[in-house]
Amino acid sequence: GSSVASELINNLITKIKSPGIEDMDLFESSYQYKTTMYSLKMLLLIWNEKRINTDLDCQRGYTWNEERQQGLWDTLLFGHRIPEIHAIRAAGASLDVMDGKQRITTLMNILNNAVPLKKAFNSEKLNPLFKELGSSIYFKDLPEKLQTKLLNTEIPVAEYWDISDEDMVILFRKLNAGDPLDEFSKGIANHINLRTRFTRAFTSPQEHPTLQSFFSASDIRNSEDEKFLLRL
């Protein structure tokens, strides 16, 4: 009887000592990050110093059309929130953009007078501006007070550091989880080296036999759509 009781007690003690869910520590990520507010003036400075890199291996090319560009002009002028940019803090205090390439590139092009504000796309509230300055207005043409206001606009930048290539790819996929990918794009995303070597060079994937080994015939046919390729 005592041996049975002793065994029961020992089993009970073992169970009590076993870690439960409430005892588990949170798993720590292998990287660190913080969110910093950057003025557009500061971002423009480091952009023009070529310290913002938007060409990570996992990034697609620049794809925003005129309508999207004008939408960002509207966001700027009316003081709407610009979503957070995610970037890796790299050597020389530079930023490697993981998420937000389209936004940051368009913003910098606007501020560098490469993308004008166009009357055809914008609100009637801006008619007085167009009446005074014309139907296409570059940033440099805006009143100085308005230029200063826009340059002082702040946007959040989530900066990551001490991040491995593997975690960077995982994080990139999580950040872009809300944007469904077709099968061809998934294939490219899963073969980062292939993406690096070929997606910026080929016009049609069937021209390269290495690509054929990774994608089905239907995937390759789909890729013939020019807009489809532009989304990579």
Side-chain angles (χ1 to χ4, degrees):
S2 60
S3 62
V4 173
S6 178
E7 185 176 350
L8 289 172
I9 291 170
N10 287 335
N11 287 340
L12 180 59
I13 291 173
T14 300
K15 287 181 180 180
I16 291 173
K17 288 184 175 180
S18 297
I21 293 175
E22 67 279 2
D23 299 314
M24 291 179 65
D25 291 328
L26 288 174
F27 295 107
E28 293 186 2
S29 61
S30 62
Y31 54 84
Q32 302 178 65
Y33 69 93
K34 67 175 181 178
T35 297
T36 305
M37 298 302 294
Y38 276 85
S39 69
L40 289 183
K41 183 177 182 179
M42 178 58 70
L43 287 174
L44 181 63
L45 174 66
I46 62 178
W47 175 275
N48 288 341
E49 291 178 347
K50 303 189 183 304
R51 290 195 287 121
I52 297 180
N53 171 30
T54 61
D55 291 324
L56 290 179
D57 293 345
C58 55
Q59 284 282 13
R60 58 183 176 176
Y62 181 72
T63 63
W64 271 18
N65 58 23
E66 199 169 35
E67 185 175 359
R68 298 294 297 272
Q69 293 171 347
Q70 294 301 307
L72 191 50
W73 255 115
D74 182 89
T75 296
L76 267 178
L77 289 170
F78 289 99
H80 298 306
R81 177 182 175 273
I82 298 174
E84 190 173 45
I85 305 292
H86 293 260
I88 300 169
R89 172 66 74 168
S94 61
L95 298 172
D96 292 340
V97 176
M98 285 190 296
D99 185 65
K101 171 177 181 168
Q102 310 298 320
R103 292 191 300 279
I104 191 68
T105 302
T106 304
L107 281 168
M108 298 301 102
N109 285 343
I110 287 172
L111 299 178
N112 277 319
N113 305 306
V115 174
L117 177 69
K118 295 192 174 182
K119 183 177 181 179
F121 288 86
N122 285 282
S123 166
E124 291 183 2
K125 291 180 180 179
L126 296 175
N127 280 349
L129 194 63
F130 290 112
K131 184 176 181 181
E132 184 175 343
L133 299 175
S135 60
S136 285
I137 305 170
Y138 287 93
F139 182 76
K140 65 180 179 181
D141 301 321
L142 296 173
E144 187 175 339
K145 185 177 179 180
L146 182 53
Q147 288 188 41
T148 300
K149 180 181 178 182
L150 297 183
L151 286 171
N152 287 333
T153 300
E154 291 189 331
I155 63 175
V157 178
E159 299 177 77
Y160 300 78
W161 63 96
D162 296 335
I163 184 169
S164 67
D165 289 344
E166 181 182 5
D167 280 338
M168 186 271 290
V169 172
I170 291 170
L171 184 57
F172 173 82
R173 289 175 180 161
K174 289 181 181 295
L175 291 171
N176 289 275
D179 185 15
L181 295 176
D182 47 72
E183 289 307 310
F184 184 83
S185 296
K186 286 177 184 176
I188 288 289
N190 288 329
H191 298 282
I192 297 299
N193 289 334
L194 274 181
R195 182 188 178 95
T196 305
R197 294 172 191 170
F198 303 126
T199 56
R200 294 177 189 147
F202 70 85
T203 56
S204 185
Q206 63 266 39
E207 293 177 3
H208 203 292
T210 307
L211 288 170
Q212 287 183 316
S213 67
F214 283 100
F215 308 116
S216 68
S218 62
D219 290 335
I220 292 175
R221 281 196 300 274
N222 287 338
S223 72
E224 293 171 359
D225 181 347
E226 181 181 3
K227 292 181 180 179
F228 181 92
L229 280 176
L230 288 174
R231 291 201 301 271
L232 293 177

